[in-house]
Amino acid sequence: RDAMVPVGPGLIGRVLDGWGQPIDGRGPLDCEQSVPLHPAPLNPLERGLVDAPLSLGIGAIDGTLTSGRGQRIAIMAGAGVGKSTLLGMMARYTDADVTVLALVGERSREVRRFVETELGTEGLERSVVVAATSNMAAALRIRAACLATSIAEYYRDQGKKVLLLMDSLTRVCMAQRELGLAIGEPPTSRGYPPSSFALVPQLLERAGCGTGSGSITAAYTVLLEGDDLGDPVGDTVRAVSDGHIVLSRRLADHGHYPAIDVLASTSRVMTDVVSESHQ
């Protein structure tokens, strides 16, 4: 039997683990439906187009790197430049109906701080959080990323504007690297086996517009080793996503937050979703 994910209105405001079980101490979930953890791919000719903007509530992005409903964006930066803080701002100030956050491979301290500080009560009231910390099994970290995507698909199929935030996609690929090397896959670029790179399009293609009116606009953080934009995971994600936002350590070192390097970033759908005067 295929793995299934319990879903329903009772997910809003809850924090789950990679199995879909609540870890917030607020009792069992009120979920009467279930959806597949690994659904069949949608027919690409039946999916909607990215033709309307979605405000993420951050001026530098809405103004110069405008996102569309159903766009997949990579947020690329080295460690400590403000990726998680930027995701928290998006979760609080976006125009989306529902936000789904996947915190994969994070430190345990960071998970609680993110939920209580970055997200806050206002953000949590319309969010679902899935957390699998760095000390959990590699397979569970990968499952958490798939689980969050399945929950986002459930709300998309209800016709809602969903914002899916994943921090971080690199750590999902690292978890797949652990599994791949353990079963004897050959290491390729920087020790990643082929399955780590195959996992990226499998996850990202599940986001986007559905066959109805709903959409999943997704932002995935990519941890660049040594601030190297040629990082193999970063290269793979750039090829699959609809744009990328680069955070600059130089700007962060000057106390400029969010440290978005506008000239190094791009939104591939911006010309389709903004007016001529905005462009």
Side-chain angles (χ1 to χ4, degrees):
R1 185 171 177 271
D2 290 339
M4 303 296 285
V5 177
V7 291
L11 285 175
I12 298 292
R14 302 303 301 270
V15 183
L16 317 176
D17 63 10
W19 294 109
Q21 300 299 316
I23 56 173
D24 52 10
R26 295 172 49 196
L29 297 174
D30 180 20
C31 296
E32 298 178 354
Q33 297 174 253
S34 59
V35 295
L37 184 67
H38 302 286
L42 298 175
N43 182 338
L45 295 182
E46 294 178 358
R47 303 185 73 165
L49 294 172
V50 181
D51 55 10
L54 177 75
S55 172
L56 297 179
I58 300 166
I61 297 175
D62 290 347
T64 61
L65 303 165
T66 310
S67 297
R69 295 180 197 169
Q71 182 176 5
R72 288 87 44 87
I73 317 158
I75 299 174
M76 312 182 74
V81 186
K83 297 185 299 297
S84 298
T85 303
L86 186 64
L87 287 194
M89 293 169 67
M90 290 180 178
R92 282 200 307 274
Y93 303 123
T94 180
D95 283 346
D97 301 319
V98 178
T99 302
V100 181
L101 291 116
L103 304 177
V104 180
E106 290 291 317
R107 299 178 288 273
S108 299
R109 175 186 65 82
E110 283 290 312
V111 171
R112 181 170 180 181
R113 190 185 72 85
F114 190 94
V115 171
E116 295 184 1
T117 306
E118 304 290 355
L119 195 56
T121 305
E122 177 189 355
L124 191 59
E125 285 176 352
R126 56 176 181 173
S127 301
V128 184
V129 180
V130 179
T133 51
S134 55
N135 59 337
M136 293 182 177
L140 190 59
R141 282 175 264 150
I142 298 168
R143 194 182 198 279
C146 297
L147 180 87
T149 306
S150 291
I151 292 171
E153 288 171 328
Y154 162 73
Y155 286 110
R156 178 195 65 194
D157 293 343
Q158 290 187 329
K160 295 185 182 299
K161 295 179 294 184
V162 183
L163 179 63
L164 172 63
L165 305 173
M166 190 172 295
D167 189 15
S168 87
L169 186 59
T170 300
R171 291 197 173 104
V172 178
C173 292
M174 286 178 173
Q176 183 61 42
R177 178 169 65 182
E178 287 183 47
L179 292 184
L181 295 178
I183 63 173
E185 274 193 84
T188 56
S189 181
R190 295 202 188 173
Y192 286 100
S195 61
S196 288
F197 303 116
L199 183 63
V200 172
Q202 289 174 11
L203 269 179
L204 267 64
E205 283 297 320
R206 290 176 61 181
C209 296
T211 54
S213 61
S215 63
I216 300 173
T217 306
Y220 303 88
T221 64
V222 178
L223 179 65
L224 301 177
E225 293 184 22
D227 293 337
D228 178 14
L229 283 170
D231 180 270
V233 174
D235 263 350
T236 304
V237 175
R238 269 204 306 271
V240 177
S241 63
D242 307 313
H244 54 274
I245 297 169
V246 176
L247 302 186
S248 161
R249 188 171 298 279
R250 179 180 57 82
L251 290 174
D253 287 345
H254 285 82
H256 181 111
Y257 291 103
I260 298 170
D261 186 339
V262 173
L263 298 180
S265 308
T266 186
S267 170
R268 295 180 187 168
V269 306
M270 182 171 174
T271 53
D272 300 326
V273 301
V274 300
S275 66
E276 189 174 344
S277 59
H278 183 160
Q279 185 67 30

